[in-house]
C-alpha cells in the first residue's frame, strides 16, 4: 500500500508475489485496485476465470502465482469501472471469500492509491498479517507513505516495513549511481516510524519493460540484474512474517475451498 499513486505498488506487489513463488511458496495475488487494475497486464494474463461447481471463481495462474483481478472480468481493457464505495466493498469481499484460493502460504494484496474504501474493506474483512508500505525518495511520496502507516496503525494492522522504489539509478555505461529522486528518505522514514526498511529498489528500464510485457523482473525468465533486489525483498518479508507469527503464536487463517 501507499498513500498516493505512481510509486510502484503494483510493481512491488507483483514481484514480491513472483519472488515468493520462486522460493517455493504457495502464493496468491489479489488486485484490489478496482478502478485501475494492472495485474493482468503485468503478469501477461488475458483470460476470464472459470467457475467451480460450488460457485467459486477459480483463480488464474501466472509464474506460479494464483491471480484474481477485476481486470479479468471486464469486457475489454478500455472499460472504466464507474462504481461507488459500496460496490467496491462488495467486489473485494467477493474476491476474498468467493475465490477458490486453496491453501496459500501468502496472499499478497495490491492496494489502490490512497486510504479509502478498499483499505477499510480489507482491514475489516480479514485478519491481515501486515502491510508493506511502498514509497519513493521524494518528500511528497514519503508524506503519503506516513499517512498510509497511520491508517494501518489505526486499524491495528502491523507494519512489516517500507520498500523504497525508484531508489536510485545506475548508469549502464559508467556504473555511476544517480539519486534522481533524492536519497535516504525511505530509510529516514523507516527509522522515524520504527519499522524496517525492507528494500531499496533501483530504477531500471528492464523492470518497466518487463511489467509492460508481462515478464516480471523477479521471474527466472527475466535477465534483469534487478531480480535479486526483489528476491532479497521477498526473503526479508518472509523473515519478518515468520518472526511476527512466532512472537504472536500463530498467523491468521483464511479458510477457502
Amino acid at each position: 500500500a501507499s498513500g498516493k499513486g505512481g510509486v510502484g505498488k503494483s510493481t512491488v506487489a507483483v514481484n514480491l508475489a513472483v519472488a515468493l513463488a520462486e522460493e517455493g511458496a504457495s502464493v496468491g495475488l489479489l488486485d484490489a485496485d478496482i478502478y485501475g487494475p494492472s495485474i493482468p497486464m503485468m503478469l501477461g494474463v488475458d483470460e476470464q476465470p472459470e467457475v467451480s461447481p460450488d460457485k467459486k471463481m477459480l483463480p488464474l495462474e501466472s509464474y506460479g502465482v494464483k491471480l484474481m483481478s477485476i481486470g479479468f472480468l471486464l469486457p475489454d481493457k478500455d472499460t472504466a469501472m464507474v462504481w461507488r464505495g459500496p460496490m467496491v466493498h462488495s467486489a473485494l469481499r467477493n474476491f476474498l471469500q468467493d475465490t477458490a484460493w486453496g491453501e496459500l502460504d501468502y496472499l499478497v494484496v495490491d492496494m489502490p492509491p490512497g486510504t479509502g474504501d478498499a483499505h477499510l474493506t480489507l482491514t475489516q474483512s480479514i485478519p491481515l498479517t501486515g502491510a508493506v508500505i511502498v514509497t519513493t525518495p521524494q518528500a511528497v511520496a514519503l508524506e503519503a507513505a506516513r499517512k498510509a502507516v497511520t491508517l494501518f496503525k489505526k486499524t491495528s494492522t502491523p507494519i512489516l516495513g517500507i520498500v523504497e522504489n525508484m531508489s536510485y539509478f545506475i548508469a549502464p555505461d559508467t556504473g555511476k549511481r544517480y539519486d534522481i529522486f533524492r536519497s535516504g528518505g525511505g530509510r529516514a522514514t523507516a527509522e522515524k516510524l520504527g519499522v524496517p526498511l525492507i528494500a531499496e529498489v533501483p530504477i531500471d528500464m528492464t523492470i518497466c519493460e518487463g511489467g509492460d510485457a508481462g515478464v516480471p523482473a523477479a521471474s527466472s525468465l527475466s535477465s534483469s540484474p534487478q531480480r535479486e533486489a526483489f528476491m532479497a525483498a521477498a526473503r526479508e518479508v518472509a523473515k519478518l512474517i515468520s518472526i511476527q507469527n512466532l512472537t504472536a503464536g500463530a498467523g491468521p487463517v483464511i479458510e477457502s475451498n
Side-chain angles (χ1 to χ4, degrees):
S2 179
K4 70 184 299 293
V7 298
K9 290 182 299 300
S10 295
T11 295
V12 171
V14 164
N15 283 286
L16 274 182
V18 170
L20 288 167
E22 291 271 342
E23 291 284 279
S26 177
V27 183
L29 176 59
L30 171 59
D31 188 351
D33 193 346
I34 300 298
Y35 299 118
S38 52
I39 296 305
M41 174 182 285
M42 297 185 76
L43 283 165
V45 180
D46 186 17
E47 303 173 45
Q48 287 194 338
E50 297 180 358
V51 178
S52 69
D54 59 349
K55 307 301 181 183
K56 294 274 189 179
M57 287 188 293
L58 301 176
L60 299 172
E61 189 168 325
S62 182
Y63 297 97
V65 179
K66 294 180 179 180
L67 311 171
M68 185 53 64
S69 170
I70 193 71
F72 299 143
L73 306 177
L74 300 177
D76 60 69
K77 297 178 181 179
D78 296 327
T79 299
M81 300 304 297
V82 187
W83 283 2
R84 295 188 183 274
M87 296 179 73
V88 173
H89 170 82
S90 178
L92 288 180
R93 286 186 66 87
N94 287 339
F95 285 155
L96 288 166
Q97 298 174 359
D98 296 329
T99 299
W101 292 108
E103 290 191 21
L104 299 177
D105 296 309
Y106 303 96
L107 177 62
V108 180
V109 183
D110 180 23
M111 298 302 295
T115 54
D117 291 316
H119 302 74
L120 293 175
T121 295
L122 191 69
T123 56
Q124 293 169 0
S125 299
I126 57 173
L128 298 174
T129 301
V132 174
I133 307 299
V134 182
T135 186
T136 62
Q138 296 163 288
V140 65
L142 293 165
E143 181 180 351
R146 289 191 290 270
K147 290 178 180 177
V149 169
T150 300
L151 164 74
F152 286 112
K153 285 187 173 180
K154 283 184 176 180
T155 56
S156 300
T157 302
I159 306 297
L160 294 174
I162 290 177
V163 172
E164 184 181 82
N165 193 33
M166 308 182 210
S167 187
Y168 55 88
F169 172 72
I170 301 294
D173 52 345
T174 64
K176 184 177 179 179
R177 170 172 168 155
Y178 294 90
D179 296 318
I180 297 175
F181 299 121
R182 309 172 80 175
S183 67
R187 184 174 299 277
T189 298
E191 291 175 356
K192 182 177 180 179
L193 296 172
V195 299
L197 179 66
I198 294 172
E200 294 174 315
V201 180
I203 297 175
D204 191 88
M205 277 299 294
T206 56
I207 296 176
C208 175
E209 291 167 352
D212 289 347
V215 183
S219 165
S220 59
L221 297 180
S222 171
S223 60
S224 167
Q226 310 311 324
R227 179 174 186 264
E228 186 51 41
F230 288 114
M231 296 300 294
R235 295 185 194 111
E236 183 65 16
V237 168
K239 182 187 78 173
L240 292 167
I241 290 173
S242 295
I243 292 171
Q244 179 175 289
N245 287 346
L246 285 172
T247 303
V253 176
I254 303 173
E255 294 185 358
S256 177
N257 296 322

